[in-house]
Amino acid sequence: MSASSLYASLPLNPERNEIRLLDIEPAKQEDGSPEVPIGCQLRRVDFDNGPEFRALSYTWGNEAIRAEIFVNGVLTPVTTNLVSALKHLRRSDQVVTIWADALCINQADNVEKGYQVRRMHDVYSRARRTIIWLGVEGDGSDMAMRALRDTGSAAMECGLLDHHNASQLTAGFASQDPKFQSLRDLRVATGWAYPFKAVRKLVDKRYWTRLWVLQEYALAPYIVIQCGNTTMDSDQFNAGLLFLQYLGAYLASTVTEANIDMPVQAGTDYELSPEERSSRFWHMANNTPGSRAVGLIGVRRQYVRWQQEPGSTPQDRLCSLLERTNSGSDDAPAPGVTDLRDKIFGLLGLLGPNVELGFTVDYQVSKEEVYTDAMRWLVLSSQMQLLSYSSIHSQAAMPSWSSDWTHRLRAPNIEKGLFKPSREHQGQAVRVGDNIIRFKVVLLDSVVCCAGLWQPELNSDSFWEDAQRFLAEVETLMAAHKDVPPMLLDMSPEQWQEGVWRIPLADQYTDDIGMRMRAPMAAKAGWATVKLGQPASGMEGDRLGEATRYRIAMTRLHRRRLAWTRQGLIGLMPADAEVGDVVSIVLGAEAPMLLRPESQGSTYKIVGESYVYGVMDGEAVTKDTVFTYIDIC
């Protein structure tokens, strides 16, 4: 029997709530005999009958390297990582029933994959437990698993997971609050005797980079994390990782010139070179775990909050998940998928059970169609914040209001929630064609001139020279446009001239913990210092601090072009801005949008989000404003 015959003998009816389960047969190896392939039985079950099973969460691994197992008596090739997982889950005296996607879904049948993806919420939320398989033991994984399990258990006993708010945890560790004393004592007791390298290798495993992991980790009622023969539950893992963050911050605060080169204690970590052993501080600093595994904790907590917030819609959730998984800085790769359509499909299980989607889960259409269909559903549901990721695409198959999630997108220049260009007006959008949506907007003015591109790098040798040039351009432009534009009726001349230092950073600053905020008046001192060029080494701390903050704020902008309009509006437009583009307020969007009229003049394309000084807080939207409905393709 071939694989196709196997699945043909166990067809799934898409009209019924059916899945397949895999029974791992007990080990039959005899003394002195070579190991025989694993034996399994694949069977079809009705989910409504409440079958008992474990869900396996794992990476397929290299699909070119395969081994064989028996499935219903037929030798079947599967990836070696799946074989190792089955071996570790197999028992000698009983059948173990699991759900594993590679075998329980016919991967060669795109139609079946489509409707089985809709079952993922039920699979992981109904499984008796989910087994996260990290692979066979290696690279100090036993040491790392024990460290996370032991410190996590101890931290839980001290109440670490009782404080769900990150700011509360940070404040508690830093304060003398007696509720946190046991956690502070645990930091001291753990000290430097921690396997930082082994833990980094464990949480940097390829498993944590998979997009599918998000729903598998968030939905499971009970999780067992297993690497080789060592296990821990997800609460121990979560607490262990959270504790590690505060342990690292504490140890770094104790470092002085006198102790920075103290060596690592023998036996503390996995296979350290003489150079790695020479300084316990640099050993810790060079082995900071990546953010992937930590991010799963946030997704799991977010899902719990969604369950407790009846006002949260499936569209709200998908919008949030798309931003979480597919936008950020250039050096943070997006979660991995084998099939790029799964950038959307791999998130659907987190939307809730039996969600009525506004698009079809179909592996027979292109990724561009999938992205467009999902974006259309979201935009028509007033998720206008996603327009900040929209732009004119090089691919004609996608409309400009959609987003290409193929690669990780840079986070928008305008921070969500800082501005309200349309005041309290809600977005309105209506579908008028396959790739055309009609939006309610305010058309403000057309661009008459564009200046040079601002694409800064904070630590580049040319930053100071580039920054001086850019600040001089803004200052020259503001001097040439001293009068307040006529549409900004309530802005004083003094407020208008503040644009000289607010425009270069899009009126956004950074607070003490790196969060973006509206630029305070103190930012003007930073502007005055930066425009003078690279400061001398003897500059006073306050001036140097504001200059550093101003520089950071400037570099958080990317691919911006200084531009101005016919009536004198000035701002930072997308790099692709051209003369004739129209500055507009799309109701509900986080920022003004730059639109480009099509040649026939009846439709527009989105060029991108913009910062336009003087209209960011709804100044252009009054009780007398005339709204327009335009078609965007």
Side-chain angles (χ1 to χ4, degrees), residues 533-606:
Q534 189 163 3
S537 58
M539 178 177 289
E540 300 91 337
D542 288 346
R543 286 183 60 200
L544 185 59
E546 291 301 337
T548 299
R549 291 190 184 198
Y550 200 92
R551 288 174 61 207
I552 291 172
M554 289 180 70
T555 55
R556 293 187 75 165
L557 305 175
H558 54 92
R559 291 183 55 77
R560 298 293 91 184
R561 192 179 297 281
L562 184 64
W564 55 99
T565 71
R566 191 176 308 280
Q567 296 187 55
L569 292 176
I570 299 173
L572 302 178
M573 310 294 177
D576 296 323
E578 295 178 357
V579 172
D581 290 343
V582 179
V583 176
S584 68
I585 305 293
V586 177
L587 296 194
E590 294 286 335
M593 306 302 295
L594 193 65
L595 306 178
R596 181 164 299 159
E598 289 285 84
S599 56
Q600 62 270 31
S602 60
T603 58
Y604 294 79
K605 286 188 175 181
I606 294 176

Side-chain angles (χ1 to χ4, degrees), residues 37 65 178 187-188 280 325 416 523:
I65 305 175
R187 281 191 316 189
V188 176
R280 65 186 188 182
T325 58
K416 183 192 296 185

Side-chain angles (χ1 to χ4, degrees), residues 313-323 326 343-344 347-348 351 355-359 370-387 389-390 401-403 405 427-430 437 439 588:
T313 68
Q315 294 93 326
D316 293 332
R317 297 178 184 187
L318 182 55
C319 182
S320 173
L321 290 165
L322 282 171
E323 292 192 274
N326 287 301
K343 291 290 188 79
I344 302 293
L347 301 173
L348 300 183
L351 305 190
V355 171
E356 292 189 14
L357 297 172
F359 57 95
V370 172
Y371 300 160
T372 298
D373 289 347
M375 277 289 290
R376 182 188 297 110
W377 181 54
L378 293 173
V379 169
L380 294 179
S381 303
S382 298
Q383 301 293 333
M384 300 299 179
Q385 65 268 39
L386 287 181
L387 295 179
Y389 299 92
S390 300
W401 46 258
S402 186
S403 299
W405 304 108
Q428 294 186 26
V430 179
I437 292 180
F439 291 87

Side-chain angles (χ1 to χ4, degrees), residues 436-448:
I436 300 176
I437 292 180
R438 184 165 294 161
F439 291 87
K440 189 176 183 179
V441 306
V442 181
L443 299 177
L444 295 179
D445 202 7
S446 58
V447 173
V448 294

Side-chain angles (χ1 to χ4, degrees), residues 3 22 35-40 58 60-71 74-87 90 102-103:
L22 189 72
E35 186 175 353
V36 296
I38 292 172
C40 301
Y58 68 110
W60 283 18
N62 189 337
E63 295 188 55
I65 305 175
R66 291 181 170 254
E68 292 183 320
I69 63 172
F70 280 108
V71 180
V74 178
L75 273 176
T76 304
V78 296
T79 62
T80 55
N81 193 43
L82 178 54
V83 172
S84 67
L86 297 177
K87 286 181 179 178
R90 182 172 56 171
L103 290 170

Side-chain angles (χ1 to χ4, degrees), residues 187-336:
R187 281 191 316 189
V188 176
T190 305
W192 294 96
Y194 191 91
F196 293 102
K197 180 179 178 181
V199 169
R200 177 184 61 79
K201 284 183 169 291
L202 185 78
V203 300
D204 283 354
K205 281 180 173 288
R206 184 170 176 265
Y207 171 86
W208 306 109
T209 69
R210 295 174 58 241
L211 182 137
W212 286 98
V213 167
L214 295 176
Q215 66 173 357
E216 295 164 9
Y217 196 86
L219 294 172
Y222 184 73
I223 295 173
V224 173
I225 297 169
Q226 182 167 351
C227 189
N229 291 315
T230 309
T231 65
M232 65 179 138
D233 65 42
S234 59
D235 284 342
Q236 292 169 323
F237 179 74
N238 295 350
L241 272 184
L242 285 174
F243 176 75
L244 176 56
Q245 295 180 67
Y246 293 103
L247 173 66
Y250 163 72
L251 294 177
S253 72
T254 67
V255 172
T256 65
E257 289 187 12
N259 65 22
I260 191 170
D261 290 325
M262 290 186 68
V264 178
Q265 183 179 339
T268 296
D269 209 340
Y270 154 76
E271 291 186 3
L272 298 183
S273 66
E275 183 180 75
E276 289 175 311
R277 287 195 298 268
S278 64
S279 168
R280 65 186 188 182
F281 170 73
W282 291 112
H283 164 243
M284 177 190 73
N286 292 332
N287 285 290
T288 302
S291 60
R292 292 289 187 217
V294 176
L296 288 181
I297 302 173
V299 173
R300 189 172 174 89
R301 287 180 172 176
Q302 178 66 70
Y303 184 74
V304 171
R305 286 195 294 272
W306 282 337
Q307 302 307 104
Q308 299 168 348
E309 299 171 359
S312 172
T313 68
Q315 294 93 326
D316 293 332
R317 297 178 184 187
L318 182 55
C319 182
S320 173
L321 290 165
L322 282 171
E323 292 192 274
R324 178 187 283 270
T325 58
N326 287 301
S327 75
S329 60
D330 285 338
D331 58 355

